[in-house]
Amino acid sequence: MNQAAVRTDGVCAHCGLPVPEGGRFCCPGCAAACETIERLGLGRYYEQRLLDPAARPPRPESGEMGDVARFVTTDAAGRYSLLLAVDGLQCGACVWLIEQVLAQAPLREGRVNMTTRRLRLVWDGPLDVAMDASARVEALGYRLVPFDVARLAARSDATGRGLMRALAVAGFAAGNVMLLSIGIWIGAGQNMGPGTRDLLHWVSAVIALPAIAYAGQPFFASAFQALRRGHTNMDVPISIGVVLVSAMSLAETIRHGPHTYFDSAVSLVFFLLIGRVLDHRARAQARATAEQLLALQAGAVTVIRPDGMTAVMAAGSVVPGWMVLVGRGERIGVDGVVTQGTGLLDTSLVTGESVPQPSEPGSVVYAGMINLGDAITVRATGTGAGTLLADCVRMIEAAEARRSRYVVLADRMARLYAPVVHGAALLTFGCWMLLAGAGLAESLLAACAVLIITCPCALALAVPAVQMIATGRLLKAGILLKSATALERLAEVDTVVFDKTGTLALPTLAMIETDSVVPADLRLAASLAVTSRHPLARALVAASGPVPVAQGVVEVPGQGLILATPEGEVRLGSRAFAKAAWAGSTDGPELWLSRPGGVPVRFRFGEQLRRDAFAVLRGLEGLRLDLCILSGDREEAVARVAGEVLLPWQGGCTPVEKVRRIEALRDSGRHVLMVGDGINDGPSQASAHVSMSPATAADLSQTVADVVFQGQALAPVLTVLGLARLTRRLMRQNIALAIGYNAVMVPLAMAGLVTPWLAAAAMSASSLLVIANSFRARGEGQGAWS
């Protein structure tokens, strides 16, 4: 870059924000962006931006591709990557189409994640490579914008509000038009005059047509985009049927005909919008995964400058080699090595280790660990995309991209539905026009009857109706479904893999052998422990109950607590710190209490299984499921828990080893449910066929999981698996009902024996039948699940 072009008016050379005197950039992020732009060969463009601020393209918040260079990242191998949000994705077929087009571009990778609606491009060379690939996708009719969490969340909210408004309009119109139609039907048998009938038809038209034009936009827009791209989807026959029936009804009203079908058209839009709203809410919950993952990586850290001053900045802006200050209770935001300070680290969410680990100069730490002691200084070795957390995120995204290709049962049926419907309607129209010699109006009437009778209303409700009822039932039990396809995938599970710490066992340690402890000793120790954040101290307080707080307690990081009394020091901590003479072996976490003139007292701690763990595991075996434990904790700790629950196990697993084990099971044809709670469980949860997490889990684990359950019990695992099998059966029954209804009614409609009015009634009846069958998911008990 031409150094003379760099601005010197006290603002950042990249974004224009104020900078310290003599500086070029406001933060390391802008400096890194500038360096990336230079490597991409955009120096001339960048120089123009600096010389002429008015020529700057919009900021990234505007969503324009013109400033896309700021969103480009570089990995250790020097490859460039870019995340783009894809607007217009409808189903798995869209993912296939986009990836087929990208396969022809000179990219290292071009993958679409249907769940999060993100496109990931990886390439070598200038930015033009990515821009060309983006242009190929946009030529298909999709809109691409740089992935920005806040903007996409706002757009999702706007879409949801638009669907709810459309649903309200359609519901209002359907109710009123149906009342008018009932009046017309009753009046037909009471010698209603043609003038009154025409007036009711016109009132129906005034209500229905604007409502259909507004509420039908989600279907009309989707159908138009599909036709522009040269293919069809479920919205095409819906749109054609609604438009033709509305137009024909208006024509009948103008020529004073006896029958109109405004009620059929607007009721159809109303029923289908119910399914569309349910689908949008399910997808919104799934997209929240990506937003929360990005939030995990965007945490702030405190950097120590060379002059000794501190500055708070985003973790992704830290450069390897910088010094990061981590205070008491803070989560470490970078990978690195401790250079100053000693204490304890809560590593359970990263490694699965249940006992806090000591840290000292030279100790290796990872992003996601929590500092339980005094402040420490960490020299960053891995930041941003180079941290263990980022590696977990990349493995998660790769696994989710593969899992997002799972297609909902109704969508799989719909692939053949549209061409069959169109073919039947065209065949009906042609036969009546050419073979039966009917007129245009009569032929069109028969074709419209076929379109209405074959309307996918029942098929569209077959899956969402069951999901809605099952989701409500699970919510009452404290179980949250986060994925639209979770129930179907849960029903296919044949293998369940459990993490240990925080999953089979409760996330907090508990004091054991309490009967052998003198209550007075326990209360004294707890009065000291209540001043500490150490997990063992908290477990001691939980075992003792409320106690008065001892005044003047001093904590020695990594060792214990000291209380000075007139008789001498009272100490609570490690065996060496308490100066306790003990010849036996240490078989787990422990604290020692020593006081002047007294015998040292030992408090032992251990992991506590969830109260119903053994019974739930036996229940899962009763469902003919294979079970095992994969944990990152020490092998002796895992073996102890596995022996209590009688399961095969593997301990000391890294996140990569867990993923390899899950993938090996998948490659052998198994459908794995992974139940975990730590950051190290995130990649394996994403790699599994489906995953669950307790509400006490790490943010990363909860966001990746398809199901999150609350409470101290393990029973939700058995509950959700049993209900999933029931819902799968009900979904298949609903689809069979919808197909059977079409098999009976379509030939009658093609033969002209079903009028559009009767077709609408039959369509509504089939939808009600599907909904009634779906309500069985609310009432049937566990006995029916197996």
Side-chain angles (χ1 to χ4, degrees):
M1 186 194 310
N2 184 359
Q3 296 296 327
V6 176
R7 298 182 61 171
T8 59
D9 53 359
V11 298
C12 178
H14 187 75
C15 70
L17 295 176
V19 297
E21 183 177 356
R24 293 179 55 194
F25 304 102
C26 65
C27 66
C30 284
C34 173
E35 181 183 355
T36 299
I37 288 173
E38 290 185 274
R39 289 200 303 268
L40 291 171
L42 298 180
R44 186 176 305 167
Y45 152 77
Y46 189 70
E47 181 176 330
Q48 181 183 6
R49 285 185 65 199
L50 297 178
L51 293 176
D52 183 9
R56 292 179 180 175
R59 296 291 301 275
E61 289 77 13
S62 68
E64 300 296 328
M65 292 292 288
D67 207 22
V68 70
R70 287 197 58 173
F71 295 87
V72 176
T73 59
T74 310
D75 62 15
R79 296 174 298 188
Y80 303 109
S81 61
L82 175 64
L83 280 178
L84 299 171
V86 186
D87 190 13
L89 283 181
Q90 295 294 332
C91 59
C94 297
V95 174
W96 176 86
L97 178 63
I98 293 174
E99 292 187 350
Q100 289 298 308
V101 170
L102 291 177
Q104 304 172 11
L107 297 170
R108 283 184 173 270
E109 179 183 339
R111 296 294 181 187
V112 180
N113 189 316
M114 180 64 190
T115 302
T116 60
R117 300 194 179 190
R118 282 191 294 174
L119 168 62
R120 177 180 175 84
L121 302 177
V122 180
W123 76 96
D124 297 316
L127 183 61
D128 291 342
V129 175
M131 299 302 288
D132 176 67
S134 301
R136 293 172 184 243
V137 176
E138 290 184 322
L140 298 174
Y142 302 97
R143 180 169 177 261
L144 302 180
V145 294
F147 187 83
D148 180 76
V149 174
R151 184 178 65 251
L152 293 180
R155 180 182 301 162
S156 178
D157 291 343
T159 301
R161 289 193 299 268
L163 285 173
M164 288 302 297
R165 286 194 296 267
L167 180 63
V169 170
F172 170 81
N176 284 276
V177 173
M178 189 60 69
L179 286 175
L180 293 170
S181 298
I182 292 174
I184 296 173
W185 301 337
I186 295 175
Q190 300 293 330
N191 298 320
M192 176 187 290
T196 304
R197 182 194 64 203
D198 290 347
L199 175 62
L200 294 178
H201 282 170
W202 276 113
V203 174
S204 298
V206 169
I207 296 175
L209 292 178
I212 291 172
Y214 177 80
Q217 289 182 27
F219 310 105
F220 300 154
S222 174
F224 178 72
Q225 291 296 331
L227 293 174
R228 278 188 58 191
R229 295 193 292 266
H231 62 86
T232 62
N233 60 14
M234 288 287 284
D235 294 329
V236 173
I238 293 172
S239 301
I240 293 175
V242 170
V243 171
L244 283 180
V245 169
S246 301
M248 185 178 64
S249 298
L250 180 60
E252 287 291 299
T253 301
I254 294 174
R255 70 182 189 90
H256 310 291
H259 301 294
T260 60
Y261 312 100
F262 294 116
D263 53 346
S264 302
V266 72
S267 297
L268 171 60
V269 173
F270 174 65
F271 279 117
L272 291 175
L273 277 172
I274 294 175
R276 189 61 56 93
V277 168
L278 293 175
D279 179 73
H280 173 78
R281 289 186 174 181
R283 291 185 185 276
Q285 290 177 343
R287 283 194 296 272
T289 298
E291 298 167 9
Q292 294 178 41
L293 284 175
L294 292 177
L296 274 175
Q297 300 180 81
V301 297
T302 302
V303 174
I304 303 177
R305 294 177 175 175
D307 60 2
M309 303 297 290
T310 61
V312 178
M313 62 178 57
S317 300
V318 176
V319 175
W322 287 8
M323 296 297 178
V324 176
L325 179 66
V326 184
R328 178 190 293 268
E330 287 187 5
R331 190 181 299 275
I332 300 175
V334 298
D335 291 356
V337 177
V338 177
T339 61
Q340 185 176 350
T342 60
L344 288 175
L345 297 177
D346 180 353
T347 67
S348 59
L349 298 180
V350 178
T351 65
E353 180 72 44
S354 56
V355 180
Q357 300 300 300
S359 67
E360 58 186 14
S363 300
V364 178
V365 296
Y366 297 100
M369 293 181 175
I370 299 175
N371 179 26
L372 299 176
D374 290 340
I376 59 175
T377 301
V378 176
R379 177 173 53 82
T381 58
T383 65
T387 63
L388 173 66
L389 175 60
D391 289 339
C392 290
V393 172
R394 278 193 290 271
M395 287 189 287
I396 288 168
E397 289 185 337
E400 283 189 335
R402 177 180 62 250
R403 196 168 67 181
S404 68
R405 288 166 174 76
Y406 188 92
V407 183
V408 180
L409 184 59
D411 289 341
R412 296 199 293 270
M413 297 297 301
R415 290 176 176 173
L416 297 176
Y417 192 90
V420 172
V421 169
H422 298 155
L426 287 174
L427 179 62
T428 301
F429 181 80
C431 289
W432 279 87
M433 279 285 291
L434 302 178
L435 300 181
L440 177 63
E442 188 177 358
S443 300
L444 187 60
L445 190 67
C448 286
V450 172
L451 284 174
I452 296 174
I453 207 77
T454 57
C455 172
C457 187
L459 185 60
L461 291 174
V463 172
V466 180
Q467 287 181 328
M468 177 183 65
I469 295 169
T471 299
R473 180 174 177 176
L474 291 174
L475 278 175
K476 291 180 181 179
I479 304 170
L480 172 65
L481 291 178
K482 296 178 55 189
S483 170
T485 62
L487 283 173
E488 291 187 48
R489 286 182 280 126
L490 282 163
E492 298 171 347
V493 166
D494 52 28
T495 304
V496 184
V497 176
F498 289 95
D499 178 44
K500 177 186 68 69
T501 306
T503 305
L504 286 176
L506 293 173
T508 56
L509 296 172
M511 197 174 81
I512 57 179
E513 298 180 1
T514 55
D515 295 340
S516 61
V517 177
V518 177
D521 294 338
L522 179 58
R523 286 194 298 271
L524 175 61
S527 67
L528 276 70
V530 75
T531 65
S532 175
R533 294 170 52 91
H534 193 284
L536 296 185
R538 293 178 181 178
L540 188 64
V541 173
S544 69
V547 293
V549 181
Q551 301 299 322
V553 177
V554 177
E555 182 167 359
V556 181
Q559 299 185 54
L561 305 168
I562 299 177
L563 174 63
T565 68
E567 294 79 16
E569 288 184 342
V570 177
R571 293 193 171 207
L572 177 69
S574 65
R575 179 172 52 181
F577 180 73
K579 301 177 181 179
W582 176 254
S585 61
T586 300
D587 53 356
E590 62 181 13
L591 286 177
W592 286 84
L593 174 69
S594 64
R595 57 196 183 284
V599 178
V601 179
R602 183 191 189 199
F603 303 100
R604 295 184 58 217
F605 302 86
E607 288 184 309
Q608 183 179 8
L609 285 176
R610 293 183 183 267
R611 61 178 182 270
D612 60 345
F614 189 85
V616 169
L617 295 177
R618 302 293 79 81
L620 292 174
E621 290 176 340
L623 294 178
R624 296 181 293 278
L625 299 173
D626 294 332
L627 313 176
C628 68
I629 299 174
L630 289 181
S631 175
D633 204 349
R634 295 167 292 112
E635 291 193 350
E636 55 270 23
V638 182
R640 186 181 306 114
V641 171
E644 292 185 46
V645 295
L646 306 178
L647 291 185
W649 59 276
Q650 181 176 341
C653 298
T654 65
V656 174
E657 289 172 341
K658 286 190 175 184
V659 170
R660 287 175 180 169
R661 181 68 183 272
I662 298 293
E663 290 180 343
L665 290 170
R666 187 188 69 241
D667 293 342
S668 66
R670 313 293 290 183
H671 295 93
V672 180
L673 165 62
M674 174 66 193
V675 188
D677 78 316
I679 290 177
N680 63 330
D681 296 317
S684 54
Q685 285 178 303
S687 298
H689 190 60
V690 64
S691 58
M692 293 184 67
S693 174
T696 55
D699 292 343
L700 180 62
S701 178
Q702 287 193 52
T703 54
V704 171
D706 298 291
V707 184
V708 176
F709 61 91
Q710 297 178 341
Q712 301 293 316
L714 196 63
V717 178
L718 181 59
T719 299
V720 76
L721 284 171
L723 187 57
R725 296 187 176 189
L726 172 62
T727 56
R728 178 177 60 177
R729 187 165 70 250
L730 294 178
M731 289 176 187
R732 291 176 175 176
Q733 291 174 358
N734 285 348
I735 290 176
L737 287 172
I739 294 176
Y741 147 80
N742 280 282
V744 173
M745 298 301 294
V746 169
L748 298 177
M750 295 179 69
L753 301 177
V754 180
T755 64
W757 173 84
L758 184 57
M763 178 271 295
S764 299
S766 68
S767 299
L768 292 175
L769 184 61
V770 163
I771 293 174
N773 187 58
S774 300
F775 271 100
R776 293 171 54 200
R778 188 175 62 179
E780 293 194 12
Q782 187 172 339
W785 291 348
S786 58

